[in-house]
Every structure is written in structure tokens, then in C-alpha cells.
Amino acid sequence: MKPRLVALLAVLLIASAPGAPAEVASAAERPSSSPTAKLPSLRAPALKVDVLARGLDHPWEVQQLPSGQLLLTQRERRALTIVDTARKRRYDLSFPNSSIWVSGETGLLGLAIDPAFSSNRRIYTCSGWQAGGRRDVRVVAWTLDPTLRRASLTRALVTGLPVSTGRHGGCRLLIAKSGALMVGTGDAAIGTNPRNLDSLGGKVLRVDRMTGRPLKGNPHFSGTGNRRLVFTYGHRNVQGLAMRPDGSILSVEHGSDRDDEVNLIRAGRDFGWNPVPGYNESVPMTDQRLPGRQFEAVWRSGSPTIAPSGADIVRGAAWGSLRGTLAVGVLKGKRVMFLTIGSTGGLRAVTVPAALTRYGRIRDVTATSRGTLLLTTDNGDGRDVLLRVRPAS
């Protein structure tokens, strides 16, 4: 039998099998998941790096307001901080932070600015939370006053993200082209969470950013309970979300002792983390022994891990061959890496500019509309900085 016919029959058999996923990718569409040592590195432009703020402590995410000021979260200080680069000053906003719970990897984490901020003044945070003796991780909407001095709690959008000791409390926010709010979550180091559709841990969620309600198009929208919010599952600890110009979304995820991952997010995908019984971290990050289909990573670190974190898509012609790449902050590996990823997920190149290996642990990368990158370091003890990176020419 001809090879092409054999492949076609195999696809038909998989698609017709009981419980088979609706999405079946061809061999050409399957992302490469081989370690990156053999991949080429593109030539990076000469870079200019400016320090915009010093004396920060574990800043987790930075975003630019329409007026140009920079808003960032500091995990353990539970502070929303404004950096005004025009006036060269920094200050913390007044906001009710007494309910924010800090423990280990959990505190004031992800941040998003509403696309209509100029009219509605809304921002979104994800953080640990404690109230009435109970703790969770939750997504909260806030309203900033016109002076950028005070943030008022508008409403809690998503509550009940699981917690344990504070481990694997990562929570990253992204507002998609459609206006949906995407929420990447950690599994709280509880082995059953990633594949349990009724748990919000170890997932990417998709909700209405105004109400927190599930959105049509979610794989389990017609179901009941928490699963209505779930977009993808089988994650360990989501640290970054980035949207490409075509609207597709990439997630960045911490591995165990091997295989940090970058994944291409599509509705209903299972990314295969299932550390049971107990919390068995010897299992593969993408465990192909599980029922159904598990989707391999676009990029994986192999062993040892390097702890990638926040990420964004590089904009602007001045970046040359790095334009359109995924820029990823790296904590343990202390660098920024630029991944060249094809439209269907194939990994083509990995580039690490030497100029961005001198600042220690990098927590977040945010691209601005002007073609610069904003980086936050995560070295602790008040030694952290906010950096602006741009091509020197």
C-alpha cells in the first residue's frame, strides 16, 4: 500500500476512535519538540539597554498605559507601581492590598490593561488572596483614578484558583484580539489538578473580561461548573502568555527537572502533565501514555531546565531577523531568548543576545507599540530593576 494512503487511513482511524479529539494535525503541522542545541541562531542587532527604575523587589509584570506611564506589579511588596519615565519618578498606587496573600511563588502576579482603558480606566491583576480565613488565587478588576494615584476594587472576576503552600501559583493574564481575557494558571503542586476539568489549576482559562463568565467557543461551555471556563488543560505552571499578530497564543511553562515548555494554545488541547499518584515529578511533561491526544511542545528545554517566564512578540523593523520572534525572559538561565516559531508551531531558531545575559534573572518581557522591550529582573532583596531594550541603530 502506498505510504500516503497508509497515512490517510491512520488519520481516519484515529478520528473515528471513541473519545478521539476533534483536532488532528498533519505531520507538517506538528510542532518540533526536540531540544534546541542543534537549532540555528539568528543575528541579533546591537542593543541599547536603559535602566528605567531601580530598587524594585520581585517585579512580576509590566504594562504600558495609553498615557505612556508604566504600571507594574511587585509580588511580595503587594504593590502596584507607576514608573513615569518622562518625569523620571516612581511611586506606588494606593489600593487595598491587605487581602493579597503572599507565600513562596504566590503574591501579586499577572497584570493586564483593558484595551478601552482611556474610557473605562480598568486594569486586571491576578494574585494570591485571603478573606475570612480562606485562601485562593484570583483575578480581580480594578479602576484607576484619573491622577493614577489610587486603584479601587471593581469586582473579582475569577476566584477559586487552587493554592497549597504558595508553590506553583503562577498566574499570567492576556487580553486576546477578541477581547477575551486569557488566564494561565499553576497546578498548586497538587497532582490531580491539571487533568481535572473541574479544577482551575494547571489550565489556560478564557473568560469575559467584564464579568468573568465563560465564553462561547470554550470547549466545555455547555457543561457545568468550572469546566465552562477551561480553554486548555494538562499544564504544570504557566508563566507566560503571548499573542501573535494572527491571534494565535503561545504559553510558557515551567518543567520539573526537565522540559520547560512553550506551547501553542488552541481550544481543548491537553498538554499532558499528570503527576499522579501524589505529586510524581518523574513523569514526562507531555505524557503520551495518557488517554486521548496530548500535544507536544513547540519548544522544550530538555535537561536541565532554565525556568522561562514572561514573554511577548517582538515588534518593529529595527529588530531585523528577530522581528516577530517570541522573546522569553529566563530566570534560572539568566537571559532573554528569542524563539523563531512558524505559523503552525514549527521551531526554526533560538537566539540569545549576549547583551541580555548581564542582568541576572529575567522575570518578564513586554513589547511596546514603539518597538522596545520592557524587562523586569527577579533577583530579590530590593536589587531588581526595570529595563528598556531597543535596537541601537
Side-chain angles (χ1 to χ4, degrees), residues 37 105 134 162 196 227 231 239 269 278-279 297 309 336 348 354 360:
E105 299 166 0
R134 302 183 66 179
N196 177 6
R227 64 180 57 205
F231 195 68
Q239 295 288 298
R269 284 189 167 185
Y279 198 70
S309 187
V336 178
R348 298 174 180 173

Side-chain angles (χ1 to χ4, degrees), residues 46-378:
L47 298 176
K48 179 176 174 54
V49 182
D50 299 308
V51 178
L52 300 182
R54 300 180 185 273
L56 304 172
D57 195 42
H58 298 294
W60 221 82
E61 184 153 5
V62 59
Q63 295 288 333
Q64 187 172 43
L65 295 167
S67 53
Q69 292 100 329
L70 306 178
L71 178 64
L72 59 87
T73 55
Q74 296 188 69
R75 185 184 70 200
E76 294 180 10
R77 288 180 180 172
R78 302 179 296 175
L80 276 172
T81 302
I82 291 283
V83 176
D84 189 333
T85 57
R87 299 182 182 182
K88 297 183 179 180
R89 63 191 180 110
R90 182 186 93 229
Y91 56 89
D92 292 340
L93 279 75
S94 171
F95 86 115
N97 63 2
S98 59
S99 294
I100 294 174
W101 176 60
V102 175
S103 179
E105 299 166 0
T106 300
L108 183 57
L109 306 174
L111 172 69
I113 310 295
D114 196 277
F117 176 84
S118 296
S119 58
N120 65 21
R121 314 292 298 177
R122 282 171 68 103
I123 67 168
Y124 308 90
T125 64
C126 195
S127 71
W129 201 268
Q130 55 188 357
R134 302 183 66 179
R135 292 170 176 165
D136 64 0
V137 172
R138 60 179 56 187
V139 181
V140 176
W142 306 85
T143 302
L144 301 191
D145 79 329
T147 67
L148 298 179
R149 290 288 184 175
R150 182 184 301 274
S152 303
L153 195 154
T154 305
R155 65 183 297 168
L157 295 175
V158 183
T159 63
L161 276 65
V163 297
S164 53
T165 62
R167 188 181 179 208
H168 294 187
C171 189
R172 189 69 68 171
L173 304 178
L174 172 73
I175 298 177
K177 272 188 173 183
S178 64
L181 178 62
M182 313 297 293
V183 185
T185 75
D187 65 8
I190 297 171
T192 55
N193 280 342
R195 287 181 62 81
N196 177 6
L197 294 177
D198 292 313
S199 167
L200 298 178
K203 308 293 189 301
V204 173
L205 313 176
R206 180 173 173 268
V207 303
D208 185 303
R209 74 179 193 274
M210 293 290 117
T211 65
R213 294 174 182 166
L215 290 171
K216 290 182 180 180
N218 286 357
H220 308 283
F221 178 78
S222 60
T224 59
N226 284 340
R227 64 180 57 205
R228 301 182 71 219
L229 281 63
V230 173
F231 195 68
T232 61
Y233 65 105
H235 298 280
R236 183 174 181 269
N237 192 16
V238 177
Q239 295 288 298
L241 291 172
M243 184 175 60
R244 300 194 287 183
D246 64 1
S248 62
I249 294 173
L250 297 163
S251 73
V252 180
E253 188 169 346
H254 280 178
S256 52
D257 64 342
R258 65 185 190 277
D259 290 341
D260 298 318
E261 293 184 347
V262 171
N263 289 302
L264 178 59
I265 298 299
R266 286 182 179 160
R269 284 189 167 185
D270 172 10
F271 291 97
W273 176 242
N274 187 45
V276 294
Y279 198 70
N280 176 16
E281 297 197 76
S282 69
V283 302
M285 274 291 286
T286 306
D287 194 340
Q288 296 293 352
R289 299 169 297 181
L290 299 174
R293 182 179 181 194
Q294 289 69 50
F295 283 80
E296 293 287 348
V298 170
W299 167 90
R300 60 185 175 93
S301 65
S303 181
T305 54
I306 60 173
S309 187
D312 210 342
I313 303 299
V314 177
R315 310 176 190 177
W319 286 90
S321 61
L322 296 187
R323 181 182 185 183
T325 59
L326 179 72
V328 185
V330 179
L331 295 162
K332 187 166 66 173
K334 299 181 180 180
R335 56 185 180 262
V336 178
M337 63 178 181
F338 294 76
L339 305 182
T340 305
I341 300 170
S343 60
T344 57
L347 183 63
R348 298 174 180 173
V350 178
T351 305
V352 178
L356 301 181
T357 62
R358 303 166 185 164
Y359 300 94
R361 294 159 54 89
I362 305 296
R363 168 63 70 181
D364 189 36
V365 178
T366 298
T368 74
S369 58
R370 295 188 175 183
T372 63
L373 294 179
L374 303 172
L375 312 182
T376 63
T377 68
D378 190 1

